[in-house]
């Protein structure tokens, strides 16, 4: 099985920064894409950052220039650095990895979610 564990959420003032972490474990052969999504109350889940296995990244305009996705030195770890946070960034953040497991199966796995609250 493949499992993801997130950490790093919390309460931060507008203009502040947070870094989210997502560590994957289990029967992973390779990672196709890494991504971070968020879901605010009453809204649909939306993409905030994605990185392909080749290192190509993409961000929606709402976070471009403020959020950065990166892969850790521990190869199955992904980070989301969030700077210049705004109250509208408040949401539950989820990491998502599309992996090929050791059985050759393509799987999309989600973390448990971590709350980010931006408020003064």
């Amino acid at each position: 099985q493949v499992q993801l564990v997130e950490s790093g959420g919390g309460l931060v003032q507008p203009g502040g920064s947070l870094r989210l972490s997502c560590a994957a474990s289990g029967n992973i052969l390779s990672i196709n894409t890494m991504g971070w999504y968020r879901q605010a109350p009453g809204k649909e889940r939306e993409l905030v950052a994605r990185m392909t296995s080749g290192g190509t990244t993409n961000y929606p305009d709402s976070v471009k220039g403020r959020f950065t996705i990166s892969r850790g030195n521990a190869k199955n770890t992904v980070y989301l650095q969030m700077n210049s946070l705004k109250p509208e960034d408040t949401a539950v953040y989820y990491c998502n990895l599309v992996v090929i497991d050791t059985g050759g199966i393509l799987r999309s796995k989600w973390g448990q979610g971590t709350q980010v609250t931006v408020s003064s």
Side-chain angles (χ1 to χ4, degrees):
Q1 287 195 353
V2 176
Q3 294 183 324
L4 307 184
V5 177
E6 300 178 31
S7 60
L11 173 65
V12 63
Q13 293 187 342
S17 298
L18 281 176
R19 189 175 82 155
L20 306 183
S21 301
C22 177
S25 62
N27 303 327
I28 298 172
L29 181 63
S30 64
I31 298 176
N32 281 19
T33 61
M34 299 177 160
W36 287 93
Y37 293 73
R38 67 186 180 189
Q39 188 166 20
K43 295 188 176 182
E44 294 187 354
R45 191 172 296 189
E46 63 175 355
L47 174 73
V48 294
R50 182 164 54 207
M51 174 184 283
T52 68
S53 57
T56 300
T57 58
N58 65 288
Y59 307 89
D61 288 344
S62 58
V63 307
K64 197 173 293 183
R66 301 188 298 121
F67 289 13
T68 303
I69 187 171
S70 63
R71 191 167 181 173
N73 291 330
K75 61 177 183 176
N76 291 341
T77 302
V78 59
Y79 301 102
L80 182 68
Q81 178 67 43
M82 304 185 293
N83 299 328
S84 302
L85 282 160
K86 305 174 181 180
E88 51 264 42
D89 295 319
T90 296
V92 178
Y93 284 70
Y94 299 89
C95 68
N96 172 260
L97 269 61
V98 178
V99 306
I100 296 176
D101 67 18
T102 53
I105 305 298
L106 187 70
R107 300 187 185 276
S108 177
K109 304 299 293 188
W110 292 89
Q112 79 280 10
T114 186
Q115 177 70 45
V116 171
T117 302
V118 185
S119 175
S120 55

